[in-house]
């Protein structure tokens, strides 16, 4: 059975971008030169392309622009704030937002994408779980513009991405501890299967290499975003024969779990352990002592993500994927100090 033509097939045959075909199908979404419009319509006729049923309903009804927002876990303060800012920014543009949550489950993510197709969204802003590559491709084949925020999928390198400078942020946190004299530095990060996890491990590794400190794999814990893996990682790190004197919690979802375990174990900060966390919540300043943080610019992530998806939907952006990395702020506080105990780490080569 012959595969039905997609919007990408139309764009390729007409020698135009997908956004141009989308504007031809939806005249209110942006201008198209008359000759180019006729060219696209001829190809549509030749190929027998038909817009998907949901999209057709939207075109005929003339509804306001609708964007889907797919986040992994609204129990995570980072994503709750991100969703709130995206909705707030969208409202100022007269755009409706359909919010879906996947709970880090690829199966729920697949269901969410099907639901968004039925809701006739013109664009999707999403933090992907890392799977469902075919589903994401199908969504784009049907003319839905996609922007990934916070994470990316390697197999979908032609999708716009907005994130913080993850590698640089981890590098700065690690370098700060090294400058204080720490050589045994623990890292708790997200799964290495995610782009954020890999980038933060990479930044940590680069800072160690710059200081001629060999990486000790036993000091790195990549844990799931859901559950209490952060607390478990803290326990295992401090149980090492030669525990770390510094700790970076670069998994935002596991910051509270990690700090809770430190308190339960009676760890003195920074006397026993210097601590830096990736977080953007006021409570980190209210602890005793206040925690040094990598403050993630959630508002800027929301602004750039919405601008990109609307720009694609309205045909205002040239072809080619864009990657926008926003610099996070490092806020040093009283949770970091020079190590008290002497380190005789075999991993230290400088």
């Amino acid at each position: 059975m012959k595969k039905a033509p997609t919007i990408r097939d139309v764009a390729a045959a007409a020698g135009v971008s997908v956004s141009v075909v989308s504007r031809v199908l939806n005249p209110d979404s942006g201008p198209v030169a008359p000759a180019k419009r006729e060219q696209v319509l001829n190809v549509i006729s030749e190929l027998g392309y038909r817009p998907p049923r949901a999209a057709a309903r939207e075109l005929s009804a003339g509804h306001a622009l609708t964007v889907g927002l797919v986040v992994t876990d609204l129990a995570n303060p980072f994503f709750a704030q991100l969703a709130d800012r995206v909705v707030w920014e969208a409202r100022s543009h007269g755009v409706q937002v359909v919010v879906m949550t996947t709970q880090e489950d690829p199966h729920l993510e697949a269901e969410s994408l099907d639901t968004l197709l039925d809701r006739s969204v013109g664009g999707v802003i999403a933090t992907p779980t890392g799977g469902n590559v075919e589903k994401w491709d199908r969504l784009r084949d049907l003319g839905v513009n996609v922007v990934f925020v916070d994470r990316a999928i390697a197999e979908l390198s032609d999708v716009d991405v907005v994130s913080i400078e993850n590698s640089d942020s981890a590098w700065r946190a690690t370098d700060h501890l090294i400058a204080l004299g720490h050589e045994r530095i623990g890292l708790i990060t997200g799964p290495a299967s995610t782009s954020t996890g890999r980038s933060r491990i990479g930044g940590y590794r680069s800072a160690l290499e710059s200081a001629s400190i060999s990486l000790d794999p036993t000091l790195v814990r990549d844990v799931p975003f859901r559950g209490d893996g952060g607390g478990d990682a803290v326990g295992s790190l401090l149980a090492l024969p030669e525990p770390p004197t510094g700790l970076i919690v670069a998994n935002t979802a596991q910051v509270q779990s990690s700090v809770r375990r430190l308190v339960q174990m009676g760890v003195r900060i920074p006397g026993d352990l210097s601590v830096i966390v990736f977080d953007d919540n006021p409570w980190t300043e209210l602890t005793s002592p206040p925690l040094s943080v990598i403050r993630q610019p959630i508002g800027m992530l929301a602004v750039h993500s919405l601008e990109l998806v609307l720009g694609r939907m309205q045909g205002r952006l040239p072809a080619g994927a864009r990657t926008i990395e926003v610099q996070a702020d490092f806020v040093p506080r009283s949770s970091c100090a020079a190590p008290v105990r002497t380190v005789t780490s075999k991993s230290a080569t400088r």
Side-chain angles (χ1 to χ4, degrees):
M1 183 175 179
K2 186 178 179 181
K3 180 183 175 183
T6 68
I7 194 170
R8 290 188 183 186
D9 296 329
V10 173
V16 299
S17 67
V18 170
S19 62
V20 169
V21 179
S22 180
R23 293 203 302 275
V24 171
L25 294 170
N26 184 4
D28 294 331
S29 64
V32 179
K36 188 164 291 185
R37 178 182 297 278
E38 184 177 356
Q39 178 182 348
V40 170
L41 290 173
N42 287 337
V43 171
I44 288 174
S45 177
E46 291 170 5
L47 296 182
Y49 172 72
R50 292 292 181 271
R53 181 181 50 172
R57 287 199 303 266
E58 182 179 80
L59 293 180
S60 62
H63 291 160
L65 291 177
T66 304
V67 171
L69 175 63
V70 182
V71 292
T72 57
D73 190 355
L74 288 175
N76 182 336
F78 173 84
F79 291 115
Q81 292 179 50
L82 178 65
D84 183 71
R85 286 303 302 266
V86 168
V87 171
W88 189 87
E89 292 290 340
R91 185 179 296 120
S92 68
H93 289 82
V95 175
Q96 298 177 349
V97 180
V98 178
V99 181
M100 312 288 290
T101 179
T102 66
Q103 299 178 338
E104 299 287 356
D105 185 338
H107 297 292
L108 288 179
E109 181 181 70
E111 292 177 3
S112 297
L113 299 185
D114 288 338
T115 299
L116 290 174
L117 274 177
D118 289 338
R119 294 292 298 269
S120 303
V121 299
V124 172
I125 298 171
T127 302
T129 62
N132 292 311
V133 172
E134 292 183 359
K135 282 277 187 180
W136 287 113
D137 268 334
R138 174 63 175 162
L139 198 71
R140 296 189 299 149
D141 282 342
L142 294 175
V144 178
N145 299 277
V146 176
V147 174
F148 288 149
V149 60
D150 186 58
R151 303 179 197 167
I153 298 178
E155 295 91 336
L156 299 174
S157 58
D158 56 341
V159 173
D160 296 323
V161 178
V162 180
S163 70
I164 72 165
E165 294 180 342
N166 286 296
S167 178
D168 176 71
S169 297
W171 190 96
R172 283 188 288 159
T174 309
D175 183 66
H176 180 73
L177 292 174
I178 292 173
L180 290 172
H182 295 272
E183 296 179 359
R184 297 283 293 173
I185 301 171
L187 176 70
I188 298 174
T189 187
S193 59
T194 64
S195 59
T196 51
R198 291 191 299 273
S199 294
R200 291 175 187 181
I201 293 172
Y204 164 83
R205 187 197 311 269
S206 178
L208 293 177
E209 290 176 351
S210 296
S212 299
I213 301 175
S214 298
L215 173 69
D216 181 350
T218 66
L219 292 175
V220 179
R221 298 288 190 277
D222 61 311
V223 300
F225 295 110
R226 293 174 66 84
D228 292 317
D232 295 338
V234 165
S236 65
L237 285 169
L238 295 185
L240 289 172
E242 196 169 1
T245 61
L247 175 66
I248 301 167
V249 184
N251 182 328
T252 307
Q254 294 294 343
V255 168
Q256 292 188 39
S257 175
S258 300
V259 174
R260 185 186 305 115
R261 181 62 63 88
L262 291 173
V263 172
Q264 292 170 345
M265 295 178 68
V267 175
R268 295 174 304 155
I269 301 173
D272 298 326
L273 184 72
S274 289
V275 177
I276 299 174
V277 302
F278 278 57
D279 211 331
D280 194 39
N281 282 286
W283 71 266
T284 58
E285 195 172 2
L286 302 177
T287 60
S288 182
L291 298 176
S292 299
V293 301
I294 294 292
R295 179 179 292 157
Q296 303 179 85
I298 296 176
M300 294 305 296
L301 295 179
V303 168
H304 285 302
S305 299
L306 191 65
E307 287 180 346
L308 271 179
V309 78
L310 291 181
R312 295 296 183 197
M313 290 168 64
Q314 297 167 350
R316 293 184 282 104
L317 298 178
R322 291 190 177 188
T323 297
I324 298 176
E325 292 186 329
V326 183
Q327 186 175 53
D329 295 324
F330 173 53
V331 184
R333 296 186 182 130
S334 306
S335 63
C336 296
V340 174
R341 67 180 184 270
T342 302
V343 176
T344 56
S345 170
K346 293 180 181 180
S347 67
T349 60
R350 61 174 183 164

